[in-house]
Amino acid sequence: MSVDYDVIVIGSGLGGLAAATTLQRGGKRTLLVERHSIPGGAATSFVRGRFEFEVSLHQLGGMGGHKPLKAVLDELDVTRRVEWLEDRDLCRNFVPGEVDVKLPHDWEALTDVLDGISPGNRPQIVRFLEIVRETGLWQMTARVNLHRMKEQLEWLTGLPDVQRYALRTFRDVLDEFFTDERLKIVLSSYWSYNGQLPHRIAFMDMARLLALYVETKPYQVVGGSQALSSALVESFEEAGGELWLNTNVDRIITRDGAAVGVRLESGETVGATLVVSNAPSTTTYTRLLDDPDVVPANTLKDLRSRRLGSSATCLFLGVDASPEELGFTTATTFLSAGLDEHSILRGAYSLDEPCPFMIATCYDVQSTGFSPKGGSQVVLSSIQYSKPWEALAPEDYARAKTAYAQSQLDLVESLVPGIRDVIEEAELATPLTFKRYANQPGGAIYGFDQDITDSWLFHDDDLRQNVPGLLLTSNWTTAGGYNSNLVTAARRCQRLLAVGQ
């Protein structure tokens, strides 16, 4: 097989886009292959009636100051191509009859708000947030710069609080510091951005999320996540990269144990010295490779030890009312039916209980440019696993969708009374929607189930590059979310360029 390109990148989700743009701008002749008609994967939008709906981006962290994401987008010449809106607040937390509070993105102001929720806890709040900040900033830096377990452990020298708390559950640490359940649920606001509840998520992972948004501020993107995807494509193509849309990769071709190119669904073969797969690691190693025997046994063992992560159910609403009329003053509201997080977990695995939790996002508090004048785009997102949806008979699917959407509307009515009366467009996406569109096992939006046993400290580089000539970049090889996926994909490819691969 002839070598047609230096690099072939499979999939134009954010990891694939970051990898392709990094390598092309680093001097490698790069082909980016995408099975859909538009690039971006889940970082995209769709149109219904007068409204254009954001598919997956709630808030983007890491853009304030010269932080990892902004640094990467600057290096890729993307930042200037996108219009950014800084959210005025972190978020609003609402539990009917229990909690209604807006959180600021400033450590001292956040301390004041938390102290107002539960007076008499200020010393514990100050200490807790100090540990969150230290652990979160360590986590952000370590994941970007460290590649071997020895370095990770050495990095912890001189950080006794990180050593003490990092691998405990977030709930366990909350219980050590506080007794007020209202304070605990507010401090746990961002758990859904990782798909794991406080009693299952590692403290360091939750600390990274909270520190990311307080330290670097949350942002919206004018034009939504598709504008970010398009900016990456524009930078890639300006540098000479080649994008093939509507092109499906059937196999990764190997020779003498190394990846040497791809075979397309059309039967055409294309050669390269490096293949980058943005497909899930399970798909890449067990279905795409033409010779599965090239995958090391320990890598397959690692894959078998991990669990499928959560998906989501999203109700996209085009509303004939302004944010002010609806009562939205923050772009992001975390809405829970009660203070019991175990009821939320039960709801994530079942269709038999009312929706217990959602992220209510209004993209027009500061307009991202999607809604018509006087209207608003509101998206209600709930964490769900795919199993209960996959168990449905085909004839029951539509009825289950309607019932779940009504349950979500029942809960959001506690926040926005009368919202049903002004709905103009409504579209529900389930885990099966994400499975079909994004080609992700179980529709998983964050890859593997990222509980405390799935920490990156335990998995080093084992799922990233174990077959010569093949690199993996999807969210199945890093923490889920825009920030992690973009930054880690770019940094991995920068390391390859640095060593001359």
Side-chain angles (χ1 to χ4, degrees):
M1 179 190 298
S2 63
V3 178
D4 304 292
Y5 296 89
D6 295 322
V7 183
I8 297 171
V9 179
I10 304 169
S12 69
L14 289 177
L17 285 170
T21 307
T22 299
L23 293 165
Q24 181 63 43
R25 294 181 67 85
K28 300 294 185 182
R29 293 179 299 114
T30 303
L31 170 65
L32 176 57
V33 180
E34 169 57 47
R35 69 190 185 99
H36 283 299
S37 59
I38 55 174
T44 189
S45 61
F46 65 93
V47 174
R48 293 291 184 273
R50 300 190 300 149
F51 295 87
E52 186 172 352
F53 291 102
E54 168 61 46
V55 168
S56 63
L57 178 60
H58 300 288
Q59 296 174 301
L60 195 62
M63 288 304 298
H66 197 68
K67 298 303 178 182
L69 179 59
K70 186 175 186 302
V72 163
L73 296 183
D74 285 346
E75 291 160 6
L76 298 181
D77 193 28
V78 168
T79 307
R80 67 177 179 87
R81 303 172 192 266
V82 177
E83 184 178 349
W84 309 92
L85 295 173
E86 181 181 315
D87 283 344
R88 301 185 186 106
D89 301 281
L90 270 185
C91 61
R92 179 182 177 186
N93 277 259
F94 187 79
V95 182
E98 298 283 357
V99 175
D100 186 4
V101 63
K102 288 197 293 187
L103 301 186
H105 43 61
D106 174 85
W107 292 108
E108 186 172 347
L110 178 59
T111 301
D112 292 339
V113 169
L114 296 171
D115 189 31
I117 296 171
S118 188
N121 283 287
R122 192 175 188 92
Q124 297 98 303
I125 292 168
V126 169
R127 176 68 177 134
F128 182 82
L129 291 182
E130 286 175 350
I131 298 169
V132 165
R133 185 174 186 272
E134 181 181 50
T135 306
L137 294 180
W138 163 76
Q139 165 91 313
M140 281 187 268
T141 305
R143 291 194 71 138
V144 171
N145 294 328
L146 304 182
H147 324 305
R148 299 184 187 283
M149 187 64 70
K150 181 181 178 182
E151 292 172 332
Q152 292 157 5
L153 296 176
E154 289 174 351
W155 189 264
L156 284 169
T157 303
L159 297 174
D161 286 336
V162 177
Q163 289 179 314
R164 178 179 177 183
Y165 293 107
L167 288 176
R168 292 168 62 182
T169 69
F170 193 71
R171 177 72 191 202
D172 184 36
V173 181
L174 282 174
D175 289 343
E176 179 179 322
F177 279 84
F178 310 109
T179 58
D180 192 326
E181 292 300 321
R182 297 170 305 157
L183 196 56
K184 294 177 188 179
I185 201 167
V186 170
L187 283 165
S188 304
S189 299
Y190 282 95
W191 71 265
S192 54
Y193 284 11
N194 204 61
Q196 285 293 346
L197 281 152
H199 69 282
R200 299 178 75 181
I201 191 173
F203 177 83
M204 66 178 189
D205 290 333
M206 190 68 212
R208 177 184 64 85
L209 286 168
L210 187 54
L212 175 71
Y213 287 103
V214 178
E215 193 81 14
T216 74
K217 318 306 178 191
Y219 282 79
Q220 303 293 326
V221 178
V222 175
S225 58
Q226 184 63 63
L228 179 58
S229 299
S230 297
L232 282 157
V233 170
E234 187 177 281
S235 178
F236 170 69
E237 292 186 325
E238 280 188 8
E242 196 170 336
L243 170 62
W244 291 1
L245 297 172
N246 299 303
T247 305
N248 197 32
V249 171
D250 179 60
R251 288 288 185 272
I252 296 171
I253 302 170
T254 59
R255 182 184 298 151
D256 299 327
V260 295
V262 300
R263 184 174 72 241
L264 306 180
E265 197 171 54
S266 64
E268 179 183 359
T269 60
V270 187
T273 55
L274 174 68
V275 175
V276 176
S277 176
N278 196 49
S281 50
T282 52
T283 303
T284 302
Y285 283 138
T286 64
R287 190 183 70 78
L288 285 179
L289 282 166
D290 66 352
D291 181 5
D293 292 338
V294 302
V295 184
N298 65 314
T299 299
L300 295 176
K301 180 180 178 181
D302 187 285
L303 282 174
R304 287 191 291 270
S305 74
R306 304 172 83 167
R307 295 182 299 275
L308 198 62
S310 60
S311 186
T313 303
C314 297
L315 182 57
F316 301 92
L317 300 175
V319 180
D320 189 17
S322 68
E324 294 77 17
E325 291 171 319
L326 295 169
F328 282 107
T329 58
T330 61
T332 300
T333 301
F334 296 106
L335 172 58
S336 299
L339 298 175
D340 178 17
E341 67 178 69
H342 291 280
S343 70
I344 299 174
L345 182 63
R346 290 195 301 271
Y349 283 99
S350 172
L351 297 178
D352 298 328
E353 299 187 23
C355 174
F357 168 84
M358 68 176 59
I359 310 166
T361 308
C362 181
Y363 292 92
D364 299 283
V365 172
Q366 295 185 87
S367 177
T368 56
F370 279 161
S371 299
K373 186 176 181 180
S376 302
Q377 176 196 170
V378 179
V379 181
L380 311 179
S381 306
S382 303
I383 293 296
Q384 282 258 290
Y385 286 82
S386 63
K387 281 189 176 181
W389 293 93
E390 291 173 329
L392 290 170
E395 61 270 20
D396 295 329
Y397 180 62
R399 184 166 55 251
K401 286 181 64 175
T402 300
Y404 198 85
Q406 292 297 340
S407 178
Q408 288 180 302
L409 289 172
D410 288 342
L411 180 55
V412 83
E413 283 269 7
S414 67
L415 176 72
V416 188
I419 192 172
R420 277 183 168 95
D421 299 331
V422 289
I423 295 173
E424 184 177 323
E425 298 287 344
E427 184 79 29
L428 184 72
T430 74
L432 302 189
T433 311
F434 289 104
K435 180 179 180 179
R436 180 177 63 254
Y437 179 82
N439 206 25
Q440 303 286 304
I445 57 176
Y446 299 123
F448 291 112
D449 212 20
Q450 294 171 30
D451 64 9
I452 197 166
T453 67
D454 203 66
S455 167
W456 57 278
L457 285 170
F458 303 144
H459 292 283
D460 204 24
D461 279 344
D462 52 356
L463 293 182
R464 300 174 189 175
Q465 194 174 23
N466 271 322
V467 176
L470 176 63
L471 173 70
L472 277 63
T473 61
S474 77
N475 59 353
W476 296 74
T477 61
T478 183
Y482 278 60
N483 188 290
S484 293
N485 203 196
L486 283 163
V487 172
T488 53
R491 293 299 186 227
R492 287 174 196 166
C493 291
Q494 287 169 349
R495 292 196 288 271
L496 290 182
L497 291 169
V499 298
Q501 281 192 235

